[in-house]
Amino acid sequence: MPDSQAPAAKQYVIAQPEQAAIAVEGSDKLFPVRRIWCVGRNYADHAREMGHDPDREPPFFFQKPSDAVMPNHSAIPYPPMTKDLQHEIELVVCIGKSGKNIPKDKALDYVYGYCVGLDMTRRDLQTDAKKLGRPWEPGKSFDQSAPVSAIVPTSKSGHPFKGEIWVKVNGAVKQKGDLAQHIWQIDETISFLSDYVAIEAGDIIMMGTPAGVGPVAVGEKVEGHIAGIGDITVTYTKG
Ligand code: MN
């Protein structure tokens, strides 16, 4: 096709997918989500409860689709194909600018802000995948699997290297820890990931979860908290 017939602006053959986004505390603007990176086994007590040695092995990552993000206070249908939906409360690092091979001492400059997230997991499907040596996507990367609170910009929150993190199900405390327990800290994690891929503005990183992961049933309310960052509440409805 001659250049003269090329469309002036990008046009698409189907409707353009809606941009996934997260609310920002104190702003009417949104944070657009590009990729969701999740760190596996970043608290020793959780690594142990999942049957792994918590020695400081290099961090590993898996992804969720960007449109898995769900706003705070959502009522979420119980997901299909599972009998064991579980909560994982996590600090979420929201990347504000692009970079690669980022040194640890520059890594925090790449953070726009932080929020509270739930890495919701179809544990039965994840366990099957592990046994069979298959990818984790069926267990981790499903629709509506990443509820998040509004983002607090670093100008207000600073960088949370310590602080209480907990989750309650129907009012009962299930997970309780401290951000200081992260095996790989925020700056180390960004630096490590940026050696493997160029991290991009809009990427978010879920930092892993403390011990106490467990099931959530239809009708139950999940409440999460991270000191200085915020709170999240979601409820599960019949799927
Ligand atoms: Mn997790």
Side-chain angles (χ1 to χ4, degrees), residues 38-40 46 62 88 90 119 121 140 208-209:
C38 302
V39 186
H46 174 61
F62 58 90
E88 296 190 359
E90 314 208 355
D119 167 17
T121 301
K140 289 288 195 178
T209 201

Side-chain angles (χ1 to χ4, degrees), residues 4-60:
S4 60
Q5 289 176 30
K10 276 184 187 160
Q11 293 174 1
Y12 300 98
V13 296
I14 58 168
Q16 193 177 0
E18 195 179 330
Q19 173 66 55
I22 305 173
V24 175
E25 198 81 46
S27 172
D28 55 5
K29 294 181 180 167
L30 300 171
F31 178 94
V33 182
R34 186 171 183 275
R35 290 174 290 194
I36 305 177
W37 297 96
C38 302
V39 186
R41 290 171 214 150
N42 203 22
Y43 288 73
D45 55 359
H46 174 61
R48 268 187 222 105
E49 78 177 346
M50 300 304 285
H52 298 279
D53 184 339
D55 275 357
R56 202 167 190 254
E57 292 169 353
F60 69 92

Side-chain angles (χ1 to χ4, degrees), residues 108-180:
L108 296 179
D109 298 346
Y110 290 78
V111 181
Y112 171 79
Y114 297 93
C115 61
V116 183
L118 291 164
D119 167 17
M120 298 305 295
T121 301
R122 294 191 288 204
R123 191 72 69 200
D124 43 0
L125 300 189
Q126 186 201 20
T127 302
D128 289 348
K130 283 181 181 174
K131 275 186 205 146
L132 296 165
R134 289 180 181 166
W136 284 11
E137 276 87 345
K140 289 288 195 178
S141 310
F142 54 97
D143 301 334
Q144 306 176 316
S145 60
V148 288
S149 65
I151 295 169
V152 184
T154 56
S155 54
K156 291 181 190 157
S157 65
H159 296 281
F161 281 86
K162 59 180 182 184
E164 197 174 43
I165 177 170
W166 54 249
V167 77
K168 294 177 184 173
V169 177
N170 275 4
V173 177
K174 299 293 183 182
Q175 294 182 267
K176 192 171 169 44
D178 194 288
L179 299 179

